[in-house]
Amino acid sequence: MAQSPVEGRGATVQELLSNKKYKLDYYQREYSWSRKDVVALLQDLERRFIREWRPTHSRRETIGYAPYFLGPIVCYQTPDAAFLVDGQQRLTTLHLIVVYLRRLLEEQDLDQDAKGLDPMIYSTRHGETTFNIDIPERNEVLNAFLRGLAHTLSADASLSVRNLYERARDIEEDFPASLRDEALPFFHDWLLDRVCLVSIDALDREHGWEIFETMNNRGARLSPVDLLKSYLLARAETGRRQLNDLWRRMIAELSRHGVDTPSEFVKAVLIAKFAAFDADSTDPVEIDRGFHEWVRKNEARLELRTADDFRAFVEYFLVPLSRQYSALKDAAAMLVHGMEAVFHTARLEVVDPLPPILSALRPDDSDEVFEEKSRRIAGYLDLATTLKIVNNRSLLPHQVRPEVDELTVRLRSAEGLEGLTGLLEAEAATLPDDFSGVDRLSLQPGNWAQVRYVLARLTSFVEVASGRPDLIAVYLDDPQPWEIEHVWPRAFPRYQAEIMTTEAFEDFRERLGALLLLPAGDRLPDEHTTKIDHYREQNLLAASLHPETLAAEPEFARFVAEHDLSEAFRPWPDHFGLDAIQIRQRLYRRLCELIWRPELLGLRPENTPPNRATVKRSRRKARYGVEIADLIEAGMIEDGTELYGHRKKHTYTARVTEGGRIRLPSGQTFDSVSRAAAVALNVKACNGWDFWRAGSDATGTLLSDLRRDALQQGLME
């Protein structure tokens, strides 16, 4: 039997990258992945890994974790290297992730694991060391990214190089917080050994392109949407032609937003309207994996009993909801008057607002009711999420998702706008935080995107309130979002008279009150008076630092006077010191309170301010892991316990506060022990469970040992 001339083999990420050399032909397209593509890959990897990992596992147990398939690559081999025909985008991004993973491992002192990644990053042949994806024009960017150094692109940098630079920065900002702590070494093992691709080896360049075109241009299998349509129309029995026409128009309208949108719509509807979210439910996983099969298995829950039921499900349920979903997709992608909150919440990228909104919608809602419901639910989600951000609450998916799922279930039963308003008022009254957290909010590893979002909202609010256009979409634009600007340059000696240590300098330099939002790419001089002149030409939040702005902008002056913000908006023409940061921090807090006022959501203010001391929201158990609050409930630790950590002859302290949070001496408070440790150490990754000790300094017990003992004694699940 003749051997096939085309060879395809499964390979792990480690096998694909280790001691390999990949190149591109001159005709290959540029590296063009967007931030959205990178974030989607990171989130997919996080979701698949977290589904398997438990902190009680040993690293060896990752061998048994479910594999994750990332698709094929096509290449042809030459004596010097393998030339990529298809898969450049995916492989380049994986290479960037491995580079950043090496830096994070070093920060956790996992030096052996970090050095073990070197053969996947670069290799030496014939006395020459090159990166394993060997494209010389990318070397400067990759070298800087590998070493964590600042890099300035040359004016003539190619599109690929510019995009590589931007995506590297995105990975730094968007690498999931849940993978930066004690999970990091486990994720390292899983990524290398359980994430797989198929490498298809072509005979030569022409053969590679033939394979590529065959894979991408030949007929596709029936999708789950097609299979669902066949099932529903077959069970409808009569009127199938009419239903088919309705279905085709529905799919055409949804596909306007992207080829995957019809599938996303069906999943969103089933999750929003029918899925169970209790601990034993597999509905979300099954719907995601094969919603057409889930519908077949759950006819009774969907009340599909007769042919008329199936026909009505398409004509009077799915089709009207698809129009609402399409309108929501428009509102999530661009500012739509009256539905700005949908755009805001979607761009925040912590919670997908569409399923919760769909859960409260009815197919026969008028356009006015649809818009008002959407605005109020998205606005509430925006408020709740922003409060988490400014109070350093966890945004990990396994902790945020159960809260959204519970809200989704409650929203299903909301009757009309009045019922919805009452439900959201009750939800808002039990939010455990207010905006006092802004007083201590700072830029930290893992919260860049969230801080940029808050700055964008503040900047936009001041602009609009002063009669200028709303440019929030420009500030958060995916290809080139505006950048966070530090008012303080990285020049500690200049501020040493006010701040005695470099640690305190770095802390206050990152505080929200010392940050602005400016167009990407502007390199400003370090001299403050020169920077102030530049700020004068920028948005009003930045321009307010200049002494001439208030007099030159009458609408801005009116806004300042209306809200009694003259002192908070005072200019700082000569020196921006510690007192200026603190005053600006209070200004930003007040702006947050104006932006996220509950009455703007149509909620009655008198019903929403809670008695914070009595708020005790039910806390859903995480799908994995233990929190400080669990140790308190188990009697292993008490409120007020002092925590100590040591690193390189330095001692760091913190305190356990009510509710199981960790407070640093700076006043910053965190849900996550690892995030508190990372901020204390000023690093991007840290295993807080193996850093903090409870009790008296070095003799205290590691939090990881307390957790282990509690689990072994059966004090916690």
Side-chain angles (χ1 to χ4, degrees), residues 442-502:
S442 65
L443 194 61
Q444 306 153 9
N447 78 343
W448 277 70
Q450 289 78 40
V451 170
R452 182 168 55 206
Y453 173 79
V454 172
L455 285 170
R457 293 296 304 277
L458 298 179
T459 304
S460 170
F461 176 71
V462 174
E463 294 286 293
V464 173
S466 302
R468 293 186 174 187
D470 188 351
L471 299 180
I472 186 72
V474 176
Y475 303 151
L476 298 173
D477 187 47
D478 184 25
Q480 193 73 15
W482 283 29
E483 293 183 343
I484 296 173
E485 158 76 359
H486 291 79
V487 179
W488 277 9
R490 198 176 291 280
F492 169 60
R494 190 179 304 175
Y495 301 91
Q496 196 165 4
E498 296 178 80
I499 299 184
M500 301 303 294
T501 66
T502 56

Side-chain angles (χ1 to χ4, degrees), residues 21 38 58 74 115 128 140 180-181 186 188 192 240 265 315 339 423 443 482 500 566 571 580 589 597 612 625 697:
K21 195 71 64 181
V38 170
S58 68
V74 179
K115 292 176 182 177
E128 182 182 8
E140 289 186 7
R180 294 176 183 263
D181 54 18
F186 296 82
H188 158 274
L192 268 57
R240 292 174 184 166
F265 161 67
E315 185 172 0
M339 297 177 66
L423 188 153
L443 194 61
W482 283 29
M500 301 303 294
S566 297
R589 172 182 173 176
R597 285 172 289 170
R612 302 293 171 193
D697 204 359

